[in-house]
Amino acid sequence: MDLRQLRYFLAIAEEGGISPAARRLHMAQPPLSQQLRQLEEELGVRLAERGNRAIRLTDAGEILKNRAEQILAMADSARREIQDYKAGLTGTLVLGAVSSSGLPDAHINAFHERYPDVLFELHEGNTFQILDYLKGGRIELGIVRTPFNSTHLDCRYAEPEPMMAAFAGEDPFPGREQVSVADLRGRRLILYRRFEQLVRETCGEAGFAPLVCCTSDDARTAINWARAGYGIGIVPHSALARESGLSGKPIAHGRLRTQMVLIRLKGRYLSTAARRFFELAEPTFRHL
Protein backbone atom coordinates (compact mmCIF):
# COMPACT_ATOMS: atom_id res chain seq x y z
CA MET A 1 0.00 0.00 0.00
CA ASP A 2 1.53 3.30 -1.08
CA LEU A 3 0.45 6.94 -1.19
CA ARG A 4 -0.60 6.70 -4.82
CA GLN A 5 -2.97 3.83 -4.05
CA LEU A 6 -4.41 5.77 -1.11
CA ARG A 7 -5.02 8.79 -3.35
CA TYR A 8 -6.76 6.57 -5.90
CA PHE A 9 -8.90 4.92 -3.22
CA LEU A 10 -9.82 8.27 -1.65
CA ALA A 11 -10.87 9.63 -5.05
CA ILE A 12 -13.12 6.60 -5.58
CA ALA A 13 -14.62 6.98 -2.10
CA GLU A 14 -15.23 10.71 -2.49
CA GLU A 15 -16.63 10.47 -6.02
CA GLY A 16 -18.78 7.41 -5.26
CA GLY A 17 -17.68 5.43 -8.29
CA ILE A 18 -14.87 4.32 -10.56
CA SER A 19 -15.93 6.40 -13.59
CA PRO A 20 -16.13 9.81 -11.88
CA ALA A 21 -12.93 9.07 -9.97
CA ALA A 22 -11.14 8.18 -13.19
CA ARG A 23 -12.28 11.46 -14.75
CA ARG A 24 -11.06 13.37 -11.69
CA LEU A 25 -7.69 11.61 -11.82
CA HIS A 26 -7.42 11.95 -15.63
CA MET A 27 -6.88 8.22 -16.12
CA ALA A 28 -8.72 5.28 -17.68
CA GLN A 29 -11.17 3.19 -15.67
CA PRO A 30 -9.57 -0.29 -16.02
CA PRO A 31 -6.25 0.59 -14.35
CA LEU A 32 -8.11 2.39 -11.55
CA SER A 33 -10.30 -0.66 -10.97
CA GLN A 34 -7.15 -2.81 -10.96
CA GLN A 35 -5.57 -0.58 -8.28
CA LEU A 36 -8.65 -1.00 -6.08
CA ARG A 37 -8.55 -4.80 -6.51
CA GLN A 38 -4.83 -4.90 -5.69
CA LEU A 39 -5.43 -2.85 -2.55
CA GLU A 40 -8.20 -5.20 -1.44
CA GLU A 41 -6.02 -8.24 -2.11
CA GLU A 42 -3.14 -6.76 -0.13
CA LEU A 43 -5.36 -5.94 2.85
CA GLY A 44 -7.41 -9.13 2.59
CA VAL A 45 -10.79 -7.36 2.86
CA ARG A 46 -13.43 -5.99 0.52
CA LEU A 47 -13.32 -2.21 0.64
CA ALA A 48 -16.31 -1.41 -1.57
CA GLU A 49 -19.48 -3.00 -2.84
CA ARG A 50 -19.78 -2.42 -6.59
CA GLY A 51 -23.11 -1.43 -8.12
CA ASN A 52 -24.11 -0.71 -11.69
CA ARG A 53 -23.35 3.00 -11.44
CA ALA A 54 -21.90 3.58 -7.99
CA ILE A 55 -20.01 1.94 -5.19
CA ARG A 56 -20.67 1.81 -1.48
CA LEU A 57 -17.83 1.57 1.02
CA THR A 58 -17.86 -1.36 3.39
CA ASP A 59 -17.06 -0.85 7.07
CA ALA A 60 -13.44 -1.66 6.30
CA GLY A 61 -13.56 0.85 3.44
CA GLU A 62 -14.84 3.58 5.78
CA ILE A 63 -11.98 2.87 8.18
CA LEU A 64 -9.43 3.10 5.37
CA LYS A 65 -11.03 6.29 4.03
CA ASN A 66 -10.62 8.02 7.40
CA ARG A 67 -7.03 6.85 7.76
CA ALA A 68 -6.18 7.71 4.17
CA GLU A 69 -7.36 11.30 4.71
CA GLN A 70 -5.06 11.61 7.73
CA ILE A 71 -2.08 9.92 6.07
CA LEU A 72 -2.31 12.03 2.91
CA ALA A 73 -2.75 15.23 4.93
CA MET A 74 0.40 14.40 6.89
CA ALA A 75 2.27 13.57 3.70
CA ASP A 76 1.26 16.91 2.21
CA SER A 77 2.34 18.63 5.42
CA ALA A 78 5.72 16.87 5.31
CA ARG A 79 6.23 17.97 1.70
CA ARG A 80 5.45 21.59 2.63
CA GLU A 81 7.88 21.39 5.56
CA ILE A 82 10.72 20.23 3.30
CA GLN A 83 9.87 22.91 0.74
CA ASP A 84 9.92 25.53 3.50
CA TYR A 85 13.29 24.26 4.69
CA LYS A 86 14.71 24.62 1.18
CA ALA A 87 13.13 27.95 0.34
CA GLY A 88 13.24 29.86 3.62
CA LEU A 89 10.22 31.79 4.88
CA THR A 90 7.92 31.31 1.90
CA GLY A 91 5.37 28.66 1.08
CA THR A 92 1.90 28.26 2.54
CA LEU A 93 0.66 28.61 6.11
CA VAL A 94 -2.22 26.16 6.67
CA LEU A 95 -4.68 27.43 9.26
CA GLY A 96 -7.99 26.22 10.61
CA ALA A 97 -10.45 28.75 12.01
CA VAL A 98 -13.97 28.95 13.31
CA SER A 99 -16.31 30.96 11.12
CA SER A 100 -16.74 33.63 13.80
CA SER A 101 -13.00 34.35 13.99
CA GLY A 102 -13.32 37.46 11.84
CA LEU A 103 -10.25 36.71 9.71
CA PRO A 104 -8.30 38.47 8.41
CA ASP A 105 -7.63 40.22 11.72
CA ALA A 106 -4.86 42.44 13.07
CA HIS A 107 -2.53 39.49 13.66
CA ILE A 108 -2.98 38.17 10.12
CA ASN A 109 -2.41 41.64 8.71
CA ALA A 110 0.75 42.21 10.78
CA PHE A 111 2.13 38.81 9.83
CA HIS A 112 1.41 39.38 6.14
CA GLU A 113 3.10 42.79 6.26
CA ARG A 114 6.23 41.23 7.75
CA TYR A 115 6.22 38.08 5.58
CA PRO A 116 4.47 38.99 2.31
CA ASP A 117 5.72 35.88 0.46
CA VAL A 118 3.87 33.48 2.77
CA LEU A 119 0.54 32.36 1.35
CA PHE A 120 -2.49 31.27 3.37
CA GLU A 121 -4.64 28.15 3.14
CA LEU A 122 -7.70 28.35 5.40
CA HIS A 123 -9.91 25.47 6.54
CA GLU A 124 -13.11 26.53 8.32
CA GLY A 125 -15.35 24.63 10.70
CA ASN A 126 -16.58 24.67 14.26
CA THR A 127 -14.20 24.37 17.22
CA PHE A 128 -14.42 20.58 17.40
CA GLN A 129 -13.84 20.19 13.65
CA ILE A 130 -10.77 22.44 13.87
CA LEU A 131 -9.44 20.31 16.74
CA ASP A 132 -9.91 17.19 14.59
CA TYR A 133 -8.15 18.87 11.64
CA LEU A 134 -5.22 19.74 13.91
CA LYS A 135 -4.90 16.25 15.41
CA GLY A 136 -5.19 14.67 11.96
CA GLY A 137 -2.42 16.82 10.50
CA ARG A 138 -4.64 18.63 8.02
CA ILE A 139 -3.70 22.02 9.50
CA GLU A 140 -0.70 23.34 11.45
CA LEU A 141 -2.45 25.90 13.64
CA GLY A 142 -6.03 26.48 14.69
CA ILE A 143 -8.08 29.45 15.83
CA VAL A 144 -10.98 28.28 18.00
CA ARG A 145 -13.29 29.45 20.77
CA THR A 146 -13.45 28.49 24.41
CA PRO A 147 -14.49 26.22 25.99
CA PHE A 148 -12.64 23.12 24.77
CA ASN A 149 -10.23 20.50 26.12
CA SER A 150 -6.75 22.03 25.91
CA THR A 151 -4.87 18.84 26.87
CA HIS A 152 -1.86 18.28 24.54
CA LEU A 153 -2.24 21.79 23.11
CA ASP A 154 -0.15 24.94 23.32
CA CYS A 155 -2.58 27.85 23.54
CA ARG A 156 -2.45 31.62 23.09
CA TYR A 157 -5.57 33.44 24.29
CA ALA A 158 -7.17 36.63 23.04
CA GLU A 159 -8.96 38.97 25.44
CA PRO A 160 -12.30 37.69 26.76
CA GLU A 161 -15.27 39.09 24.90
CA PRO A 162 -18.96 39.28 25.83
CA MET A 163 -21.83 37.58 24.10
CA MET A 164 -24.00 40.13 22.32
CA ALA A 165 -27.73 40.52 21.88
CA ALA A 166 -27.83 41.32 18.14
CA PHE A 167 -30.91 42.86 16.55
CA ALA A 168 -32.10 44.63 13.40
CA GLY A 169 -34.34 47.67 13.28
CA GLU A 170 -35.76 49.30 16.39
CA ASP A 171 -33.80 48.92 19.62
CA PRO A 172 -35.62 46.41 21.88
CA PHE A 173 -33.61 47.66 24.86
CA PRO A 174 -33.81 51.47 24.58
CA GLY A 175 -31.68 53.57 26.89
CA ARG A 176 -29.37 50.72 27.96
CA GLU A 177 -25.73 50.22 27.12
CA GLN A 178 -25.93 46.55 28.12
CA VAL A 179 -28.66 44.04 28.88
CA SER A 180 -29.18 41.41 31.55
CA VAL A 181 -30.15 37.80 31.05
CA ALA A 182 -33.56 38.65 32.55
CA ASP A 183 -34.08 41.13 29.70
CA LEU A 184 -34.18 38.16 27.30
CA ARG A 185 -37.30 36.70 28.91
CA GLY A 186 -40.08 36.33 26.32
CA ARG A 187 -37.82 37.45 23.45
CA ARG A 188 -37.47 35.31 20.34
CA LEU A 189 -33.84 34.18 20.43
CA ILE A 190 -31.55 32.90 17.67
CA LEU A 191 -28.74 30.77 19.06
CA TYR A 192 -25.37 29.70 17.78
CA ARG A 193 -25.49 26.00 18.76
CA ARG A 194 -21.96 26.18 20.19
CA PHE A 195 -23.42 28.18 23.10
CA GLU A 196 -26.98 26.87 23.21
CA GLN A 197 -26.58 24.87 26.41
CA LEU A 198 -24.83 27.76 28.14
CA VAL A 199 -27.63 30.20 27.20
CA ARG A 200 -30.29 27.77 28.36
CA GLU A 201 -28.51 27.28 31.68
CA THR A 202 -28.07 31.01 32.38
CA CYS A 203 -31.70 31.70 31.48
CA GLY A 204 -32.75 28.85 33.75
CA GLU A 205 -30.75 30.39 36.58
CA ALA A 206 -32.70 33.61 35.99
CA GLY A 207 -35.96 31.69 36.38
CA PHE A 208 -37.20 31.21 32.82
CA ALA A 209 -36.82 29.01 29.75
CA PRO A 210 -35.60 30.90 26.67
CA LEU A 211 -37.90 31.26 23.67
CA VAL A 212 -35.62 29.86 20.97
CA CYS A 213 -36.88 30.34 17.43
CA CYS A 214 -33.75 29.11 15.62
CA THR A 215 -30.45 27.36 16.32
CA SER A 216 -27.59 26.97 13.84
CA ASP A 217 -24.07 25.59 13.60
CA ASP A 218 -22.56 28.82 12.31
CA ALA A 219 -22.48 32.22 13.99
CA ARG A 220 -22.88 33.87 10.59
CA THR A 221 -26.18 32.04 10.10
CA ALA A 222 -27.43 33.27 13.47
CA ILE A 223 -26.45 36.79 12.44
CA ASN A 224 -28.26 36.48 9.10
CA TRP A 225 -31.47 35.34 10.81
CA ALA A 226 -31.25 38.24 13.24
CA ARG A 227 -30.65 40.64 10.35
CA ALA A 228 -33.80 39.28 8.67
CA GLY A 229 -35.80 40.18 11.77
CA TYR A 230 -36.62 36.71 13.10
CA GLY A 231 -35.43 37.55 16.59
CA ILE A 232 -32.45 38.49 18.72
CA GLY A 233 -29.22 36.69 17.89
CA ILE A 234 -26.92 35.67 20.75
CA VAL A 235 -23.43 35.77 19.23
CA PRO A 236 -19.83 36.60 20.22
CA HIS A 237 -18.85 40.26 20.01
CA SER A 238 -16.14 39.65 17.39
CA ALA A 239 -18.61 37.80 15.15
CA LEU A 240 -20.88 40.84 15.17
CA ALA A 241 -18.22 43.55 14.92
CA ARG A 242 -17.90 43.54 11.13
CA GLU A 243 -21.55 43.06 10.28
CA SER A 244 -23.64 45.82 8.72
CA GLY A 245 -27.36 46.22 9.20
CA LEU A 246 -27.25 44.95 12.77
CA SER A 247 -26.87 46.52 16.19
CA GLY A 248 -25.92 44.78 19.36
CA LYS A 249 -25.58 45.22 23.11
CA PRO A 250 -23.38 43.18 25.45
CA ILE A 251 -25.10 40.77 27.82
CA ALA A 252 -23.96 41.44 31.38
CA HIS A 253 -23.34 37.95 32.71
CA GLY A 254 -20.01 36.48 33.78
CA ARG A 255 -20.63 33.10 32.11
CA LEU A 256 -21.76 34.54 28.77
CA ARG A 257 -18.23 35.30 27.64
CA THR A 258 -15.85 33.60 25.25
CA GLN A 259 -12.27 33.87 24.01
CA MET A 260 -10.56 33.27 20.71
CA VAL A 261 -7.59 30.91 21.10
CA LEU A 262 -4.66 30.21 18.79
CA ILE A 263 -3.65 26.56 19.21
CA ARG A 264 -0.95 24.14 18.12
CA LEU A 265 -0.38 20.49 18.96
CA LYS A 266 2.40 20.00 21.51
CA GLY A 267 5.45 18.20 20.17
CA ARG A 268 4.52 18.41 16.49
CA TYR A 269 6.93 19.97 14.01
CA LEU A 270 5.81 23.34 12.67
CA SER A 271 6.91 24.89 9.41
CA THR A 272 8.95 28.05 9.75
CA ALA A 273 5.95 30.15 8.73
CA ALA A 274 3.65 28.49 11.29
CA ARG A 275 6.26 28.80 14.03
CA ARG A 276 6.74 32.52 13.34
CA PHE A 277 2.98 33.04 13.22
CA PHE A 278 2.61 31.38 16.61
CA GLU A 279 5.58 33.20 18.15
CA LEU A 280 4.35 36.60 16.93
CA ALA A 281 0.83 36.07 18.27
CA GLU A 282 1.04 38.84 20.85
CA PRO A 283 -0.57 41.31 21.36
CA THR A 284 -3.65 39.68 19.76
CA PHE A 285 -3.09 36.36 21.56
CA ARG A 286 -1.30 35.84 24.91
CA HIS A 287 0.03 32.83 26.77
CA LEU A 288 -1.83 32.40 30.06
Side-chain angles (χ1 to χ4, degrees), residues 143-209:
I143 300 175
V144 296
R145 282 195 179 278
T146 58
F148 60 91
N149 185 350
S150 61
T151 305
H152 306 307
L153 298 174
D154 280 332
C155 301
R156 296 292 184 271
Y157 293 83
E159 291 295 328
E161 59 181 281
M163 301 297 289
M164 304 289 288
F167 53 89
E170 185 177 351
D171 186 350
F173 313 106
R176 305 184 201 179
E177 293 187 1
Q178 59 184 17
V179 299
S180 68
V181 172
D183 291 326
L184 303 178
R185 183 192 297 266
R187 309 280 188 176
R188 292 169 57 85
L189 303 182
I190 303 162
L191 302 184
Y192 177 21
R193 189 170 285 109
R194 179 82 168 86
F195 300 102
E196 179 183 4
Q197 184 61 33
L198 181 58
V199 172
R200 290 187 181 276
E201 288 176 1
T202 53
C203 289
E205 292 167 1
F208 68 97

Side-chain angles (χ1 to χ4, degrees), residues 80-264:
R80 286 192 295 266
E81 288 167 10
I82 297 302
Q83 291 172 342
D84 286 347
Y85 176 79
K86 291 169 54 181
L89 198 59
T90 59
T92 301
L93 173 57
V94 185
L95 293 172
V98 294
S99 61
S100 60
S101 60
L103 299 184
D105 60 3
H107 182 45
I108 291 281
N109 294 338
F111 180 85
H112 178 63
E113 184 175 350
R114 181 173 294 193
Y115 303 111
D117 293 329
V118 175
L119 306 178
F120 294 91
E121 180 179 326
L122 186 63
H123 297 267
E124 294 182 289
N126 61 40
T127 290
F128 302 108
Q129 289 172 321
I130 299 303
L131 290 170
D132 285 342
Y133 293 162
L134 186 66
K135 293 172 184 176
R138 185 174 178 181
I139 61 176
E140 294 191 275
L141 302 173
I143 300 175
V144 296
R145 282 195 179 278
T146 58
F148 60 91
N149 185 350
S150 61
T151 305
H152 306 307
L153 298 174
D154 280 332
C155 301
R156 296 292 184 271
Y157 293 83
E159 291 295 328
E161 59 181 281
M163 301 297 289
M164 304 289 288
F167 53 89
E170 185 177 351
D171 186 350
F173 313 106
R176 305 184 201 179
E177 293 187 1
Q178 59 184 17
V179 299
S180 68
V181 172
D183 291 326
L184 303 178
R185 183 192 297 266
R187 309 280 188 176
R188 292 169 57 85
L189 303 182
I190 303 162
L191 302 184
Y192 177 21
R193 189 170 285 109
R194 179 82 168 86
F195 300 102
E196 179 183 4
Q197 184 61 33
L198 181 58
V199 172
R200 290 187 181 276
E201 288 176 1
T202 53
C203 289
E205 292 167 1
F208 68 97
L211 177 59
V212 179
C213 68
C214 178
T215 58
S216 70
D217 290 316
D218 194 313
R220 293 172 297 187
T221 303
I223 287 171
N224 287 338
W225 279 64
R227 182 184 289 113
Y230 282 90
I232 295 171
I234 310 300
V235 296
H237 178 270
S238 58
L240 180 64
R242 299 187 180 188
E243 298 293 332
S244 60
L246 272 183
S247 301
K249 295 188 176 182
I251 303 172
H253 192 288
R255 293 183 64 195
L256 292 181
R257 298 173 72 80
T258 183
Q259 286 176 277
M260 299 296 301
V261 190
L262 175 64
I263 59 174
R264 60 166 292 184

